Structure formats: C-alpha cells, structure tokens
Amino acid sequence: MKPRVFVTRELFPDVIEKLGRYYDVEVWDRYQPPPYDVLLEKAREVDALVSLLSDRIDCNLLKQAKRLRIVAQYAVGYDNIDVECATNLGIYVTNTPGVLTEATAELTWALILAVARRIVESDVFVRWGEWWRTRTGWHPHMMLGAELKGKTLGVVGLGRIGSRVAEIGKAFGMKIIYYDVKRNVDLEKALGAEYRDLDTLLQEADVVSIHVPLTKETHHMINEERLKKMKKTAILVNTARGAIIDTNALVKALTEGWIAGAGLDVFEQEPLPPNHPLTSFKNVVLVPHIGSATYEARHAMAELVAENLIAFYEGREPPTLVNREVLRVRPPGFK
C-alpha cells in the first residue's frame, strides 16, 4: 500500500504523475488555499504533505498529524512551518532553494527599473489618456526618472538571490555594498562588493534590495528609524517577505517623502486589499508575489518537491532538507 500525500495546490501534471508512482496523491483543486480546518483534517490522514507558504503548518497541526513524516514546502522560505516542533516530532521539512534564484533576481530588477524609470506610472499616463490631454508629445520635465550607472546598490542578504541581484547590478555599472549576518569574503572579491553594517548601508545606498528570510530577528527589520536613515532619492525593493518591512512605517515614509519610491512583491497582508494605503502612491510598484512566477522556476520547484518526497520514500536523506537535526530523531522513510 502506497503512503498518502496531500498536495495543497495544483502543480504540474507530469510532476503529479511522477509522484503517483510512489504515493497515493490527493490534490486540492481550488484556486484558494485549503482552510485551516480542512488542512488539519487532511494532515491527520496522510503520511506526507506538500505545502505552500500560505499554508499554516503550526505545532497544533503537526501534533495531531500522527502519521505525518514529511512536509515538502513548495517555496524557498518556510516561515509558515513550525520547524522546531516538526523536528521534535521526527517530521522532515524540505524546501526548494536554488531553482528560483534567476526568476526572483530578474523580478527584483524589473521592480528596480520600473520604479527608477517610472514605467508603471508612464504606462497609466499613456493608457488613460493623460498624455493625449497634455497636447504635447515630449517635454524636458516629462516623467523624469533616475539612471542607475554609477549609483550604489545595497543588498540586504547576500545569499543565492541577493548575490545574483548584486551580479546584475555590477553589470549596470553600480557600486555594490551588502549587509548579511556573515561576511562572505569570496563573494566580495567575485562581485567587487563591500560589506556594511545595516544602518550604514541604508545611509549610503541609492537602491536597497531585501533578500533575507523572515525570522524573529528580521521581522520589521526595516522600521521607521531605519527608513529615516535612507536617502530621500533612494528606492526600496522587497522580493523576500512582506513582514521584513514595517508597512505602516513605509506608508509614513512614502507620505512624508523620506524615500523616492518602492517596488514590492511581498506584503504583510496577502492578498493586498485594493484600498490599502500602498495602492495610492504613484511612486510605488506593486506586484502579487510573483518572484518565482516563471514556468521554468515553478516547474523546477515542483520537480524538487518530488525529488525530496521520492528520496524520503526510498529511505534517503531528501536533497534539500531544512531540519537536519531530525536525522537524529528518526531515519528517513516510512518503515
């Protein structure tokens, strides 16, 4: 009899077919995520779970899921999972790092350029007839933006994605500075990057790009005090997790002109309500958490989920195991 796996959202048919060779697969086929009570009910019945960042995998759920042996997260981040509780219960947790680096780095740069050159604002200007109503095709002051060459890019978190963002920034002719909990001398040499503490980085950077995981330490890392340290001409971009930035402080910063603009892929509240204060700013570009939204990245993420589950089924350590301490609690596999 095959072990059972519940997949909390539709993935790709070929990946589900592959999983079906090893598992009895049930897929939640609605666009919206399963409600917590449904997720809890399913978790009690299955041996494995494929989760998304919008699924709350807390200790209450994990303790009631007596058969559950592995949670395969379809994301890099896993702040929605109580990993410590899972480890104590002998439940493996995996994620999907690496395969979405290019997609997220490219989206970061799309946001940087969109804010710097006022792309969305200009599109609306044309599409809604404002350009036509000016009765002039070109003016020296029309939609002035900022060039990036020679400016300073401040990368907060020099992991896979942050490093790629820095590499692209170097190609734009920007000076690269970074903050991370650990210095990376090899990357400093490779990228020509210079280390700064966070407050100094915020003071020096013309573009600040966030690439750290959401933890207790990084929650509201970018708060009112730190936003005030930024240049009035600076752009803030976040493609990591919404709660790294204090939203109320950011709204205040934008309202009072502490910074020049922002590009946001992630938010403290998702989905973002249409009447949210952030939607009122012309100098803010908002996209609906699409950092990894390319076919290549999303399919590779699904493939990595399957690789983790198949490895566990075969009694092997999953390739992207998050909680390696669990190996001392229980060996991989369902035996």
Side-chain angles (χ1 to χ4, degrees):
M1 187 174 178
K2 294 178 180 177
R4 296 180 62 187
V5 60
F6 178 62
V7 183
T8 67
R9 224 75 92 256
E10 290 179 291
L11 299 181
F12 296 85
D14 60 315
V15 176
I16 296 299
E17 181 183 356
K18 180 188 290 187
L19 273 179
R21 299 171 198 161
Y22 303 86
Y23 289 84
D24 179 3
V25 183
E26 180 182 357
V27 178
W28 180 257
D29 60 0
R30 301 181 193 178
Y31 191 80
Q32 293 76 20
Y36 181 78
D37 59 338
V38 173
L39 187 61
L40 179 60
E41 179 184 347
K42 295 296 182 183
R44 292 186 185 124
E45 300 171 353
V46 297
D47 307 282
L49 186 65
V50 175
S51 59
L52 273 66
L53 56 90
S54 51
D55 300 317
R56 178 159 55 98
I57 314 297
D58 58 14
C59 203
N60 173 61
L61 180 147
L62 294 168
K63 285 181 177 179
Q64 294 190 50
K66 303 299 184 183
R67 292 174 50 180
L68 190 64
R69 292 292 174 265
I70 181 170
V71 178
Q73 175 91 332
Y74 182 72
V76 174
Y78 44 86
D79 46 275
N80 59 307
I81 303 172
D82 190 329
V83 176
E84 182 179 357
C85 181
T87 303
N88 292 336
L89 294 169
I91 298 171
Y92 284 57
V93 178
T94 66
N95 66 339
T96 59
V99 293
L100 45 71
T101 297
E102 291 300 324
T104 307
E106 289 175 10
L107 190 275
T108 299
W109 272 98
L111 289 172
I112 292 171
L113 290 166
V115 178
R117 295 305 305 271
R118 301 170 69 176
I119 300 297
V120 175
E121 186 182 353
S122 296
D123 178 83
V124 170
F125 186 71
V126 176
R127 196 181 298 274
W128 290 11
E130 293 299 316
W131 190 26
W132 175 260
R133 284 188 281 274
T134 66
R135 298 183 181 181
T136 182
W138 192 93
H139 190 281
H141 295 167
M142 185 186 291
M143 292 295 168
L144 293 179
E147 291 185 10
L148 297 172
K149 185 176 181 180
K151 302 290 177 61
T152 298
L153 171 64
V155 179
V156 181
L158 202 67
R160 294 181 182 90
I161 298 169
S163 299
R164 182 61 179 140
V165 168
E167 186 178 14
I168 297 171
K170 187 177 180 182
F172 271 92
M174 299 185 77
K175 176 182 179 180
I176 310 300
I177 61 176
Y178 80 98
Y179 165 76
D180 204 305
V181 290
K182 293 181 180 179
R183 288 191 63 167
N184 190 324
V185 177
D186 292 337
L187 273 177
E188 286 180 24
K189 292 177 181 177
L191 298 172
E194 299 177 11
Y195 180 83
R196 298 287 190 274
D197 62 71
L198 180 57
D199 290 343
T200 303
L201 179 146
L202 294 172
Q203 291 167 1
E204 293 184 12
D206 298 292
V207 177
V208 175
S209 193
I210 308 295
H211 302 286
V212 293
L214 179 60
T215 64
K216 291 178 182 178
E217 291 73 29
T218 63
H219 182 268
H220 286 188
M221 169 189 279
I222 307 300
N223 53 25
E224 183 171 327
E225 179 184 356
R226 284 184 165 141
L227 285 164
K228 285 181 176 177
K229 295 180 185 293
M230 293 178 64
K231 297 179 180 180
K232 288 189 176 182
T233 54
I235 294 169
L236 177 63
V237 174
N238 187 10
T239 56
R241 285 291 184 268
I244 293 165
I245 299 175
D246 181 336
T247 304
N248 292 333
L250 178 59
V251 169
K252 187 175 181 181
L254 291 162
T255 302
E256 299 185 7
W258 304 349
I259 61 175
L264 306 173
D265 180 44
V266 288
F267 307 89
E268 291 197 76
Q269 181 182 359
E270 295 182 359
L272 193 72
N275 60 346
H276 192 281
L278 286 171
T279 65
S280 65
F281 297 102
K282 289 183 178 180
N283 57 337
V284 177
V285 177
L286 310 169
V287 294
H289 207 140
I290 59 169
S292 64
T294 64
Y295 176 84
E296 293 89 346
R298 293 279 171 88
H299 191 270
M301 290 165 66
E303 287 278 7
L304 189 47
V305 164
E307 287 177 31
N308 280 313
L309 288 170
I310 292 168
F312 186 85
Y313 173 89
E314 293 177 342
R316 297 183 286 112
E317 179 184 332
T320 56
L321 180 63
V322 168
N323 54 340
R324 294 188 56 81
E325 301 86 355
V326 77
L327 293 165
R328 295 196 294 266
V329 181
R330 190 195 307 271
F334 295 105
K335 294 181 180 180

